[in-house]
Amino acid sequence: MVSGPSGAGKGTVIGLVRKALPNVVTSVSATTRAPRPGELDGLHYRFLSTADFRRAVAEGNFLEWVDYGGNLYGTLRADVEDKLAQGYDVVLEIELQGARVIRQTMPAATLIFVAPPSVDELARRLHGRATDTPKAIARRLEIAKAELAAEHEFDEVIVNDEPERAAAEVVAIMARRRTRETRHKGD
Ligand code: 5GP
């Protein structure tokens, strides 16, 4: 599971990891946030109304869900379980509160934190995205500072100074984990 502040480059890093490891897939989360230009329903997110999201919460359809910056986000249980059952390595790209829930409910998960090289660089990246309002960017920066303070809660911390290098680190972590699992099975 990969966490870290918005703007740290989690999405880019995971995209590179997927290219290197075909067995890795990402979970498609549900959100009430409006789609950004180019984002497709069912591919980047399941875009839900607040009422539909709340209904899914009541029905127990989420492994975890949060209110992040005024929008709801959640990991769909069925999506993750289906992909795991098909033999994929599933990567969740989620923020800190959700990561904490997953740590409790899925103790076997590896928690990777992707950090920006600095807060200034993070601010620059968030402003550069230009699809979010200044208010939304300010809110994301506030949340980011709290998330950075929690990086010690993770199994691994990767500084995304350069996406290819950061992705190679994630690939190495996953390979190490695989070896460990195989060894345990052989015990
Ligand atoms: P964005 O609006 O930039 O796509 O996502 C905002 C934040 O929500 C990012 O840190 C992203 O990783 C996180 N996020 C996306 N989907 C989920 C989810 O299902 N659960 C949780 N807890 N966080 C999510």
Side-chain angles (χ1 to χ4, degrees):
M1 196 250 325
V2 174
S3 195
S6 173
K10 302 188 288 283
T12 310
V13 171
I14 293 170
L16 291 167
V17 171
R18 289 191 58 193
K19 270 195 197 150
L21 302 174
N23 202 46
V24 169
V25 292
T26 46
S27 148
V28 178
S29 293
T31 184
T32 61
R33 148 164 101 54
R36 295 194 182 114
E39 282 185 336
L40 297 174
D41 187 42
L43 185 66
H44 298 97
Y45 280 108
R46 297 295 320 279
F47 294 100
L48 298 184
S49 66
T50 304
D52 284 347
F53 195 104
R54 294 275 178 207
R55 197 167 309 126
V57 171
E59 287 170 359
N61 295 348
F62 291 115
L63 285 174
E64 59 75 33
W65 67 275
V66 285
D67 182 330
Y68 172 95
N71 290 306
L72 306 178
Y73 295 80
T75 304
L76 288 158
R77 187 185 300 278
D79 181 59
V80 174
E81 286 175 356
D82 288 352
K83 286 169 178 166
L84 287 175
Q86 288 167 40
Y88 289 110
D89 282 329
V90 183
V91 173
L92 311 184
E93 186 196 327
I94 59 180
E95 53 64 70
L96 177 64
Q97 305 305 324
R100 286 177 172 154
V101 173
I102 295 295
R103 192 183 47 186
Q104 297 297 324
T105 54
M106 305 181 90
T110 303
L111 274 64
I112 301 175
F113 187 89
V114 175
S118 67
V119 174
D120 284 351
E121 172 61 15
L122 186 73
R124 205 182 58 73
R125 288 182 194 173
L126 285 174
H127 285 289
R129 191 138 73 184
T131 49
D132 296 335
T133 62
K135 206 170 139 199
I137 292 172
R139 213 153 42 186
R140 279 169 187 255
L141 261 177
E142 275 316 301
I143 298 172
K145 286 177 191 160
E147 295 196 310
L148 287 169
E151 64 177 42
H152 63 277
E153 295 178 25
F154 288 76
D155 298 320
E156 311 274 352
V157 177
I158 293 177
V159 177
N160 183 20
D161 46 2
E162 212 269 303
E164 274 79 14
R165 199 201 54 73
E169 253 188 83
V170 176
V171 169
I173 289 165
M174 295 187 90
R176 268 207 308 274
R177 204 193 60 156
R178 268 266 132 130
T179 314
R180 244 192 344 249
E181 277 172 6
T182 315
R183 211 180 299 136
H184 281 304
K185 271 185 201 143
D187 284 348

